[in-house]
Amino acid sequence: MSAASTPDPTGAGPSRREQLLAIAAQQFAEKGFRNTTVRDIADAAGILSGSLYHHFDSKESMVDEILVAFQEELFGQYDAILASGDDARSKLEAAVRVSFEAIDKHPHEVAIFQNDANHLGSFERFGYLADRNAQSRQVWVTLIEEGVRTGVLRADLDVTLTYRFIRDTVWVAVRWYRPGRDLTHTDIADQYVRILLDGIAVEGKNHG
Amino acid sequence: MSAASTPDPTGAGPSRREQLLAIAAQQFAEKGFRNTTVRDIADAAGILSGSLYHHFDSKESMVDEILVAFQEELFGQYDAILASGDDARSKLEAAVRVSFEAIDKHPHEVAIFQNDANHLGSFERFGYLADRNAQSRQVWVTLIEEGVRTGVLRADLDVTLTYRFIRDTVWVAVRWYRPGRDLTHTDIADQYVRILLDGIAVEGKNHG
DNA sequence: GAGCATACCAAGCAAATGCTTGGTAGGGTG
DNA sequence: CACCCTACCAAGCATTTGCTTGGTATGCTC
């Protein structure tokens, strides 16, 4: 038990704070933010609930820290894609792939975002969630519109509806995708991109 | 106040029990099952929380009644589609349309199912949720496999992945669809079917 | 008008929950 | 050794939550 109370002087591993955040993220993802008690988190960490308040101000500040860190990483990748000189189809594919990679690397964070962003967003403290949501919409809409303009995507697409279709389809996969099973996130991204772009029907059998 | 405590002898309108269930469904859909308190429901109904227990055994029995009624209606429609003599593509389209119609007519029930089925399913009382989930999977997989067999759908489809793609894409729409706005549920179903079957790319521009 | 059913109130209880307070143990540093 | 920092415990408080209990008002029915 002495190891648990010993700080990490070498700085090699994650700090105790980061360890606790990872544990909290898992709990939040599994049960939702409001349904996770500070005692749940503390139990999972092997300490008492009161001890969490040595590291964090509140339960809210824990999710806050979790979400902000994740979003900064994700949107950094989106920005890089937008700034690249590739054609619209390649950029769209890249954005889908980056998203599935995020599900693979940060499943808890994505799940929290999917399940609790709506509820958390109603508090002033989490107003940035709405901003990030708008930013995400901007990324996808930009890519879709560029695709239509350059003749890569069908001109009769409802851009907003298509945006929702892509967004929902990609992120909702966090509900069933589990790393390390038969299909890798790259496999899934491949097939999703294929369905999204070309549909599931046999080519040339399109109805009018 | 006397009207509220007067039963409906004609049998024309919904019973008080049904009224309260509708109010509960809305609350559950908005805030989730566990995050909705019996006082929330009672407040929305204009009564005290204890009075709810004149009508229902528990908070759980309320969701139970809500979910069972909804599922019976939905799966009755799926069964009718499966039993019809239409071709695979028509049946697949019909199933998608019926699902969007369910979102339109019973948004609260669908939302509860989407958000809380996982959590509720861990209790023995709600074991039927897993059964219904399996039943739903069976419906879609049957339709997809028939489509592949009859040459309507691409033979290289991963059936399971395609099933998840369709299921997620359809039901997650409950998150943003609001009845009575610009797009009707029929409009949305049309476009979703089109994207699903033929993709968003311009025909003949398929890569690979 | 006596009996009964429906719909509700008023009050409260036991458990759970977020958070606080005061204290302890152990290691590093001067 | 004195001092301080990190990490934690022990105990508990105020509030919230699901649910219970005993009672009241209203209208229907015979």
Side-chain angles (χ1 to χ4, degrees), chain A residues 154 196-201 206, chain B residues 154 196-201 206:
Chain A
R154 293 188 355 237
L196 177 68
L197 289 170
D198 302 327
I200 67 174
N206 303 319
Chain B
R154 295 190 349 238
L196 177 67
L197 289 170
D198 302 327
I200 66 174
N206 304 321

Side-chain angles (χ1 to χ4, degrees), chain B residues 28 33 59-67 112 120 126:
Chain B
F28 291 151
F33 175 70
K59 194 175 120 178
E60 276 189 5
S61 70
M62 294 188 220
V63 236
D64 187 278
E65 211 162 313
I66 291 166
L67 291 178
I112 297 169
L120 291 174
F126 296 96

Side-chain angles (χ1 to χ4, degrees), chain B residues 99-116:
Chain B
S99 304
F100 276 105
E101 197 180 303
I103 293 175
D104 183 66
K105 285 189 180 166
H106 307 291
H108 303 325
E109 287 79 354
V110 173
I112 297 169
F113 210 100
Q114 285 293 294
N115 298 328
D116 292 311

Side-chain angles (χ1 to χ4, degrees), chain A:
Chain A
M1 278 307 197
S2 66
S5 58
T6 305
D8 185 356
T10 70
S15 68
R16 185 63 173 142
R17 187 188 181 80
E18 286 167 333
Q19 286 180 30
L20 292 173
L21 277 182
I23 291 170
Q26 184 170 0
Q27 300 285 319
F28 290 151
E30 280 175 12
K31 294 178 287 207
F33 175 69
R34 283 200 57 180
N35 297 335
T36 300
T37 71
V38 292
R39 284 173 180 79
D40 287 338
I41 301 170
D43 283 353
I47 60 178
L48 291 183
S49 66
S51 305
L52 283 175
Y53 291 83
H54 169 70
H55 300 276
F56 306 99
D57 283 344
S58 65
K59 196 176 117 176
E60 277 190 3
S61 70
M62 292 188 219
V63 236
D64 187 279
E65 210 162 316
I66 290 166
L67 291 178
V68 166
F70 168 66
Q71 287 178 327
E72 280 176 2
E73 180 180 339
L74 179 65
F75 282 92
Q77 292 177 287
Y78 282 159
D79 288 344
I81 291 171
L82 282 178
S84 78
D86 294 342
D87 63 306
R89 177 159 179 149
S90 298
K91 283 194 275 195
L92 208 52
E93 283 195 26
V96 170
R97 280 175 210 291
V98 157
S99 304
F100 276 105
E101 197 180 305
I103 293 176
D104 183 66
K105 286 189 180 166
H106 306 292
H108 303 324
E109 287 79 354
V110 173
I112 297 170
F113 210 100
Q114 285 292 295
N115 298 329
D116 291 311
N118 244 338
H119 166 247
L120 291 174
S122 62
F123 299 98
E124 197 180 347
R125 166 168 200 172
F126 295 97
Y128 63 88
L129 290 175
D131 299 338
R132 287 298 197 183
N133 194 35
Q135 189 181 352
S136 163
R137 181 193 175 100
Q138 192 56 41
V139 170
W140 291 109
V141 166
T142 299
L143 292 178
I144 295 167
E145 285 179 340
E146 184 181 332
V148 170
R149 191 167 2 98
T150 59
V152 175
L153 301 184
R154 293 188 355 237
D156 64 333
L157 286 179
D158 180 320
V159 174
T160 299
L161 204 62
T162 305
Y163 149 67
R164 290 191 184 125
F165 186 94
I166 297 174
R167 174 200 60 184
D168 293 348
T169 304
V170 166
W171 291 121
V172 88
V174 77
R175 292 197 175 193
W176 54 262
Y177 173 72
R178 294 293 169 270
R181 285 224 287 242
D182 51 341
L183 289 177
T184 68
H185 68 94
T186 313
D187 295 334
I188 296 170
D190 284 344
Q191 303 223 36
Y192 267 44
V193 164
R194 177 75 197 278
I195 293 178
L196 177 68
L197 289 170
D198 302 327
I200 67 174
V202 169
E203 295 171 33
K205 286 220 175 185
N206 303 319
H207 289 206

Side-chain angles (χ1 to χ4, degrees), chain B residues 7-8 35 37 46 51 53 58 75 92 109 111-112 128 157-158 193:
Chain B
D8 184 359
N35 296 337
T37 71
S51 305
Y53 291 83
S58 63
F75 282 91
L92 208 53
E109 287 79 354
I112 297 169
Y128 63 87
L157 286 178
D158 180 319
V193 164

